[in-house]
Structure formats: structure tokens, C-alpha cells
Amino acid sequence: MWIADQWQQYELLDCSGGEKLERWDRYTLVRPDPQAIWATPRSHPGWARPDARYTRSRSGGGAWSGHGTPQRWQVRYRELTFQVGLMNFKHTGLFPEQAVNWDFAQDQIQAAGRPVRVLNLFAYTGGATLACAAAGARVCHVDAARGMVQWARDNAKLSGLEGHPIRWIVDDCAKFVEREIRRGRRYDAVILDPPSYGRGPSGEVWKLEDSLYPFLELVCQVLSDQPLFVLLNSYTAGLAPSVLTYLLQTVIGGRFGGRAESDELGLPVTQTGLALPCGAAGRWTPH
């Protein structure tokens, strides 16, 4: 398991009974988590009086209660600063387990010894974008949600990266990649964080199990002649990490050689010393 264990302002305090207790800087949140199916004692005092709790509704969706937090506040990871807040569907605007992938991307870019162009697809609020920019890469950030792209731009400003070479694109990721191929633009690294399910602007259905392989074939065409890495995330519980290895080795490795690997992503749990699984990631590198 690749564990994001370098956080200072985020902490997974405990998890039990389908919920997790987290510290986001000075605020504690309780959120649902389908992986935490064990019923361990909730001995941490934070369970009794969290600043906010997200409770699912039997009719679908859910709602926050408590609201002992500001609308937005900030957390830092290394040199990066992010704004977080209470969003719909239990989200906060940041997936802290992704920090282990940010570290990987930064290490690859800094060790390359050459200019690096990164394409970040389904880029959300910009965690990977900021990490790559801070490491010296030129980044193209693409997401179909205008509000998320603006959130990412705000994060870049908070992190002192507003002057760095970042292209901010609001577009359907597949259509954008197709246009980049026609334009002849190429990238040395691609980061993909696709949803399990979604719909495009014209009603196109995206289902990860059906759409990911052809999309990865498309992405392969936008890579430069000397690609540095491809990073692929998956939150679909039924998709084993090894599937990501096979996909990357078949599509990217089939053209460029190299090596693919994958593993679960995890967050350390302070109360128990264990790690909570948080999806999976696959990484392709040329060596």
C-alpha cells in the first residue's frame, strides 16, 4: 500500500462503523467511508463532538450537521496550500491520500533534468497540478467543471504559484485530448483521475470499466517521444489495483516499453496504527 503519511495539517484520527473521524487543521469532521466496516471502539473523544458530520439519507444523498466550521479554510501540505470546505456528497475539495502521488510526480519531474510538460486530466481542485508546477513543470489542467477549475486557480494563488506556467482549461477531457492530438501538442507526463461514472456535456455516458481502456489508448497518442510517467487513479472498489498495472503495461508499455506498477492508496489511522484503503493508483515509468 502507498500510504500518504507526511501530512501535518490533516490527520485520520479513527475509523469505525462505516465512518471516519478526521482532523483538517483545527476542525474535526465525521464522514461516511464504505471501507471502514469494522466495529472498533470509538474511544477517541473527537467522535462525541465533531465540528461537522455528514449523514447519509435513506432516500439518497445526505447532509452536513453541526457546521462548526467556516465556509472555507486552509490546509497545507509541504509547500502547497489548499482551501477546503463542506461540499455536497461528503466531499471537502481535497483527497488527502493523493499526497503520495503528488510526491511521486514531484520526484519524477525533479529527477528528469529537462523541461517537463504535464497534462492533468479530470484535475479537480488541482492537487497534482500544484505539485507538478512547484517541481518546475509546465502544466495543462483540464476539468469539465468550471467551479472546480476556479477552485484550483485559487489554490494556485494561495500556494504562490499563480505566476507559474499553468494552462487552465474547462472542457470535456476526451474532446480536449482529441484536439491536442490534432494540434500536434505532446506531453511528457499525463495524470488521470477519472470518475467511476459520469456524463459528458452532450450526454455521453462515462463508465470507468467500459471507457477507461479506449480513453487510455487515446491518451497514449498525446505522449511525447520520451514520456516521463503516466499516473492513473481509480476509486472503483471492484477494480483491483492489478487491473491498472495491466492497462498501463498493455497500452503505454506496449508502445514505449518501461514498467507499470500499482497498489492501494491509504491513510494512516492514528488511533489504531492501521491504514485505511482509499482506492488505487497505477504508475508507468520508462525504467
Side-chain angles (χ1 to χ4, degrees), residues 15-87:
C15 49
S16 175
E19 293 184 311
K20 56 188 174 185
L21 173 68
E22 305 167 291
R23 176 180 64 84
W24 295 79
D25 191 23
R26 72 188 70 178
Y27 301 104
T28 55
L29 308 182
V30 173
R31 297 193 290 161
D33 194 292
Q35 297 292 330
I37 62 173
W38 43 86
T40 50
R42 298 190 177 199
S43 55
H44 193 286
W47 285 108
R49 298 186 64 183
D51 293 298
R53 179 190 295 270
Y54 188 90
T55 305
R56 293 194 183 279
S57 169
R58 291 183 179 178
S59 59
W64 290 97
S65 59
H67 295 291
T69 70
Q71 183 177 5
R72 297 273 176 90
W73 70 98
Q74 298 175 11
V75 296
R76 286 186 59 82
Y77 182 77
R78 300 191 188 275
E79 73 272 39
L80 307 176
T81 301
F82 304 98
Q83 58 178 347
V84 295
L86 307 185
M87 300 172 61

Side-chain angles (χ1 to χ4, degrees), residues 225-237:
D225 292 335
Q226 293 182 303
L228 187 61
F229 68 86
V230 175
L231 174 59
L232 172 62
N233 285 294
S234 170
Y235 296 99
T236 301

Side-chain angles (χ1 to χ4, degrees), residues 91 121-123 143-144 173 192-200 205-212 215 232-236 239:
H91 293 163
L121 299 169
F122 310 97
D143 197 281
C173 288
L192 306 94
D193 203 348
S196 297
Y197 181 84
R199 288 188 178 274
V205 174
W206 168 280
K207 187 178 180 182
L208 190 70
E209 296 89 333
D210 299 332
S211 305
L212 185 54
F215 186 72
L232 172 62
N233 285 294
S234 170
Y235 296 99
T236 301
L239 211 58

Side-chain angles (χ1 to χ4, degrees), residues 28 35 46 55 77 83-84 100 103 109 113 119 139 165 172 184 197 207 213 221 224 229 243 247 262 266 269 280:
T28 55
Q35 297 292 330
T55 305
Y77 182 77
Q83 58 178 347
V84 295
V100 71
D103 292 344
I109 292 165
L119 176 60
V139 186
D172 175 81
Y197 181 84
K207 187 178 180 182
Y213 184 82
Q221 299 177 56
S224 68
F229 68 86
V243 172
L247 284 171
S262 61
V269 184

